[in-house]
Each structure stands twice: as C-alpha cells, then as structure tokens.
C-alpha cells in the first residue's frame, strides 16, 4: 500500500514530538526513505503540529535534510501532503 506513495510528497506523524515532511523515495521493511526532507521537532516552536503542516502546504516544505531514513516503528501515520485538510 505504501508503494503508491513513492515519489510523492508526504507527511509522517511520529510517536515523538517530530513531524517529517518530504518526498517518499523508497519503502523498506524497517525504514522509509525521505528525500528533500523537513525533520521538524515541535518542541522548537510554539506552533501545533497541524499549524506547522498547514504552513508547509501553503509555503512549501522547508528542507533541512537531503535524505533521511525514518524507522517504521516510530510511525503513527503517513499521508500525502495533498491529502492534508485544514478545516
């Protein structure tokens, strides 16, 4: 099912205070690979997870990593960036 997301911009909600945005490059048994990724620790800002994602949808992903591997065990949810709704 995750293979349909490969090559597209995604949002990953993690169990921790981190949210990850970027282009899903590959899917492995233990890791998901993101390219041009924004690995954001929500403790660094006063904004909520939803507001941070909404801002990224509006202004673009603020890349701080060329490549990142995300452990699948840390993943709570993954969605396409285009599926984010701010109602």
């Amino acid at each position: 099912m995750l293979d349909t997301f490969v090559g597209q911009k995604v949002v990953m909600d993690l169990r921790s205070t981190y949210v990850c945005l970027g282009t899903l490059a590959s899917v492995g048994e233990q890791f998901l690979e993101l390219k041009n990724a924004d690995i954001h620790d929500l403790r660094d800002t006063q904004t909520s997870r939803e507001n941070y994602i909404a801002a990224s949808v509006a202004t673009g992903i603020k890349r701080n990593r060329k490549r990142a591997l995300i452990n699948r065990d840390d993943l709570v949810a993954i969605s396409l960036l285009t599926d984010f709704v701010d109602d």
Side-chain angles (χ1 to χ4, degrees):
M1 188 181 290
L2 287 174
D3 290 334
T4 62
F5 286 13
V6 172
Q8 299 189 63
K9 291 179 182 176
V10 297
V11 176
M12 295 182 182
D13 294 299
L14 303 183
R15 294 183 192 281
S16 65
T17 58
Y18 286 86
V19 62
C20 304
L21 298 95
T23 301
L24 186 62
S26 65
V27 176
E29 287 184 34
Q30 187 172 359
F31 295 96
L32 301 175
E33 179 186 19
L34 280 181
K35 297 280 184 153
N36 298 316
D38 176 6
I39 309 300
H40 183 74
D41 186 350
L42 293 162
R43 294 174 297 182
D44 292 339
T45 61
Q46 294 293 322
T47 189
S48 69
R49 183 179 301 262
E50 289 76 17
N51 286 342
Y52 187 82
I53 297 167
S56 295
V57 169
T59 63
I61 294 173
K62 295 137 193 85
R63 178 180 88 141
N64 55 30
R65 307 281 194 289
K66 288 182 183 178
R67 178 177 182 244
L69 299 177
I70 309 301
N71 191 319
R72 290 176 74 149
D73 291 341
D74 295 330
L75 191 65
V76 172
I78 183 171
S79 62
L80 296 176
L81 190 63
T82 56
D83 286 340
F84 180 76
V85 290
D86 187 26
D87 295 339

